[in-house]
Every structure is written in structure tokens, then in C-alpha cells.
Amino acid sequence: GPNFRDPHHPDEPARSVLRLTDRADRLASVLSPDAESFNASVKRIKGAMLQVRNRRKPPRLDDKALASWNGLMIGALAVVGRLLDESRFIAAATRAADFVLHQLVLPDGRLSRSRRGDSTSHPGFLEDYAFVAAGLIELATALQADEDRTRYIGEAMKLLATADRLFADDQGLMYDTEADPGFFVRARSLHDGALPCGTSVLLNTLVDLASLGDATALARLPRLYEGIGANLGELPLGLANGVRCVLRTLSSAWARGTPLETQLRATAPPKDLADTAFTPVEVYASEERLSITTDTPASMKLVLQIAEGYHVLAADPWVDDPRGAIRGLVPLRVHVLGGSGVRVYADYPAGEPYEHAPAGIGRPRVYRGRVEFEVAVEVDGPNQGRPLLGVTFQACSDRACLHPRTAELDIAIDRA
């Protein structure tokens, strides 16, 4: 019967897509006298299907070569080739690097964003220069011959110098695009998502060069770190590759005892209770995706990691003294955000009595350190919106309480 419905064309009827219902070796033992006969049968069937499919107009092939993606792949191949001692990967990285340096460089020395056939596109962005330079540094690290290492390091330094000329402002901070009167807004991205941003990759590449003794790279680092310092302090997870760069620098011998080390240590999140961006609680989930049906719920574990010196109000904080509840304090709750049709239950731990509570308000229960508990998710009517799971908590020290916070969990909820 029909087993596929095109989500992009919901008005079209469901169709049947031919597929093997089990592993080939298991099917062979049931459907054929031996594996060889089964494989021959499958090959014949696939050949007939291919003849029918070849009558359709094929989709257009995206066969352009992007400078930035080539840079990522060059670096990945070089690292894997070096760690696994696989010369074929290093050779592939070398071929790709030479392709970029010869086929994706415009006559004026700038990188092209992409190439297709014999044609190059518009000039590249900051990420193109940063990703390619990072890949070349990794390739140089993987190569044995000093002449080859020197050549690719030199090419990376040339790209970074060009990027500094094209994308840096008067303060030395980097934009994603060149200055152009035709742009309504000149973007500057400081967020590492599915791909790291150009600035964080550029920073890591400068750290690579600084560790090799390049004075120019070392001189560039303080201004760039200054430019991302506020983002690192307030939203370190949003600039994870930048945080990685800070940690690499702080652990490097060449940065120890320098003004650069002092500058980086100043980017740590402030511990002032008045700072609403600071939270001493980290929330982790055991699953990235949950599948639920009308009859079958799903479960996972949640972990709260609470920093030393802080506690979180328990889910049922006044169980020992119901009259002691204080208006305004928010207990721990796991709940649904942004949609409906899903219900969540949590097996909250009891917590421990808080021994430093002011006189006259009872002893609320709190959580400290690592707190782990089970959460169940089930269907609760028609699905509307995009339901997300949220964890609301209020963290306190012995002196004062922070504002309540809600952490959205990046967990996909699939409903069959």
C-alpha cells in the first residue's frame, strides 16, 4: 500500500515507493534459494526501475565549487589524513587547495565566492578567506616537506592580509562583506551556528599562526578579541568556536604572562547578581529527538548542573511548611512552549531543606550540584504550532536570588 506522501504537495495522493523491507541477507534466505540468486534478482529489478526513472526530466545539478566549503573540506581531509596516517586524504586536500589557489582567485588577487565550469562568481566574503586560510594551515601541518609547508602557510598569510584589507573597519573588527555603497546594511555576524562564523574561524587561524611565531598574527589578536568580548561574556554558547579560540590562547605558552592573557580572562561571564545575562545553571538532555504516538509516550533524562555557591528552588519547595511560601519565588518546572498537543510530566526529586532561610519563612527545599530526573512526553490533543520543551528555574545564592530563567531545549518532537 501507499507508504510515501510528499510533504511539499499535500494535495497529491500518497504513493508507493518500492523498497526492501529488511536486510538483504535476511530477505535472501526467505525469497531465494541462495544469496547470489537474490542479488541478481534485485539487480534486475533496479535496472528496470532505472530505465523508467531515466524517462523523467532530471533536476538541475548543483555543481559549483564554493571557496568556503572547499576550505572546510581541505582542513578536514588534512586532519584525518594526519591523525590516521592516510596519505590519500592529504593528497586530496592538496589537490583541492591547489584548485582553490589557481581557479578561485580573481585577477586582482581577491578570492571568488564560487566557480562553475570556466566561470567564477562575485568576490568572496569573509568566511571564504577565513575557511580557506584555516584549511591551508591544517594542510601545512599535515605535510612532511618543509618547502610545501612554507608555501601553504605563506598562501594562508596572504589571504588573511587581503581579508584584513577588505573586511576590517578602523578598529580592526571584521565585517562579513566588503564595503559597498549598494549594500543597505553591511553585516557583521558573531554567531556560530551550523557553520562557524568568519570572525571566529579567522581568530583560530590567527592563533595557529601566532603559535608558529608570526608577529603580525599576534598583533591582530587583541583588537579582534576586544570586538567579540561582550558576546563571549554574555552568550558564550552562541560563539562556541570563539570560546574555543580563547581556551586555545589561554593554554598556549606564547600567550602566558602577556597582556593578551589578562585581556582574555576579563571576558569571563561576570558573577554580579545584578547582571541578568549570567546564570549559574546548565541544562542537559539525554535525547535530541523524541518520537511519540497517541498510545506511546517517550521519555528522557534531564540534568541540571548548578554552579557551586548557588541553589535552585525545588519543584515543590514548601512541602515541609506550606505556609512559608513567598510570593515571587519560582519553583523548578518543565513545561511546553510555543505550541500545543503535547503534555510533559517530570519526576522531580524532593530536594534538600535550605538551612540559611531567613527566620519566619520556613525552610524551602532546594537543589544543589548535579540534579538528574526523568521526563515523559505524551500526546495531548491536536498538534498546533511547534511545541518545545522549556525548563524554568530560579537560582539563588545565600545573599540574593537571580531573576527566573527559562531554558528552551533543542529537542525535536516527532508525532506519528
Side-chain angles (χ1 to χ4, degrees):
N3 60 5
F4 173 77
R5 182 179 295 277
D6 188 346
H8 304 291
H9 299 86
D11 296 334
E12 293 188 2
R15 307 191 180 214
S16 296
V17 177
L18 298 181
R19 63 186 179 91
L20 296 180
T21 58
D22 204 342
R23 283 170 33 183
D25 56 342
R26 293 174 180 165
L27 292 174
S29 64
V30 177
L31 300 178
S32 297
D34 54 66
E36 185 176 350
S37 300
F38 176 79
N39 291 332
S41 178
V42 170
K43 185 176 181 179
R44 186 181 69 254
I45 293 171
K46 286 185 175 181
M49 293 171 63
L50 180 61
Q51 290 182 10
V52 175
R53 190 176 72 178
N54 285 340
R55 298 174 194 162
R56 307 176 189 165
K57 182 180 179 180
R60 295 184 64 181
L61 181 64
D62 185 359
D63 56 357
K64 62 181 178 294
L66 294 174
S68 60
W69 289 13
N70 269 270
L72 289 172
M73 196 65 190
I74 290 166
L77 287 168
V79 169
V80 174
R82 173 172 57 83
L83 295 179
L84 301 183
D85 196 22
E86 285 278 2
S87 59
R88 60 195 177 104
F89 293 149
I90 298 175
T94 303
R95 291 194 299 272
D98 291 340
F99 169 84
V100 171
L101 295 174
H102 290 96
Q103 302 296 326
L104 281 167
V105 176
L106 300 172
D108 61 4
R110 291 183 295 172
L111 268 181
S112 171
R113 172 66 173 169
S114 64
R115 185 179 184 90
R116 182 173 185 271
D118 296 328
S119 303
T120 54
S121 69
H122 54 78
F125 304 129
L126 173 63
E127 72 170 30
D128 295 298
Y129 289 82
F131 289 9
V132 172
L136 294 178
I137 295 293
E138 293 290 2
L139 176 58
T141 305
L143 294 171
Q144 299 294 325
D146 289 341
E147 181 180 354
D148 293 334
R149 293 165 63 97
T150 301
R151 179 166 75 91
Y152 288 114
I153 289 175
E155 293 291 350
M157 294 172 67
K158 285 167 54 178
L159 288 174
L160 293 178
T162 303
D164 192 46
R165 175 173 58 85
L166 296 175
F167 304 108
D169 62 12
D170 295 339
Q171 307 300 318
L173 305 180
M174 308 301 288
Y175 286 96
D176 293 331
T177 61
E178 298 182 33
D180 188 331
F183 287 163
F184 182 70
V185 174
R186 192 180 183 194
R188 175 186 283 155
S189 173
L190 292 177
H191 176 77
D192 293 319
L195 290 178
C197 69
T199 294
S200 69
V201 174
L202 182 74
L203 270 169
N204 277 278
T205 306
L206 290 173
V207 169
D208 290 331
L209 291 174
S211 65
L212 297 174
D214 182 58
T216 303
L218 182 59
R220 286 280 290 115
L221 284 172
R223 288 182 298 170
L224 284 173
Y225 276 131
E226 184 179 357
I228 67 170
N231 295 70
L232 287 175
E234 295 177 5
L235 199 63
L237 289 180
L239 195 59
N241 197 43
V243 174
R244 169 176 166 261
C245 190
V246 172
L247 295 176
R248 290 183 60 206
T249 304
L250 290 176
S251 63
S252 300
W254 51 266
R256 201 161 296 135
T258 66
L260 180 60
E261 182 186 26
T262 303
Q263 174 190 358
L264 292 183
R265 294 198 182 280
T267 64
K271 299 300 188 291
D272 186 353
L273 289 173
D275 180 11
T276 58
F278 168 68
T279 175
V281 181
E282 299 174 359
V283 182
Y284 302 96
S286 63
E287 307 294 332
E288 294 182 351
R289 182 176 291 275
L290 298 175
S291 296
I292 58 177
T293 68
T294 303
D295 302 318
T296 308
S299 64
M300 64 176 181
K301 286 186 177 180
L302 280 186
V303 175
L304 270 64
Q305 189 66 49
I306 306 168
E308 185 176 355
Y310 291 88
H311 56 269
V312 167
L313 208 61
D316 194 358
W318 306 104
V319 64
D320 299 329
D321 186 359
R323 295 172 301 173
I326 299 177
R327 182 178 298 176
L329 291 182
V330 177
L332 176 69
R333 284 291 181 271
V334 182
H335 50 99
V336 177
L337 303 168
S340 60
V342 171
R343 184 186 305 158
V344 59
Y345 299 93
D347 186 13
Y348 299 110
E352 59 186 75
Y354 179 57
E355 64 274 16
H356 300 299
I361 72 164
R363 299 180 67 188
R365 287 187 170 269
V366 298
Y367 303 130
R368 287 190 175 92
R370 178 186 173 91
V371 182
E372 184 174 319
F373 56 95
E374 291 281 342
V375 172
V377 180
E378 67 178 19
V379 173
D380 182 32
N383 195 28
Q384 294 183 353
R386 181 173 174 266
L388 296 172
L389 297 184
V391 180
T392 297
F393 56 87
Q394 185 163 22
C396 304
S397 71
D398 290 339
R399 295 188 295 115
C401 287
L402 301 175
H403 292 289
R405 300 290 293 267
T406 297
E408 293 185 5
L409 303 182
D410 189 16
I411 300 173
I413 302 176
D414 298 327
R415 288 183 45 155

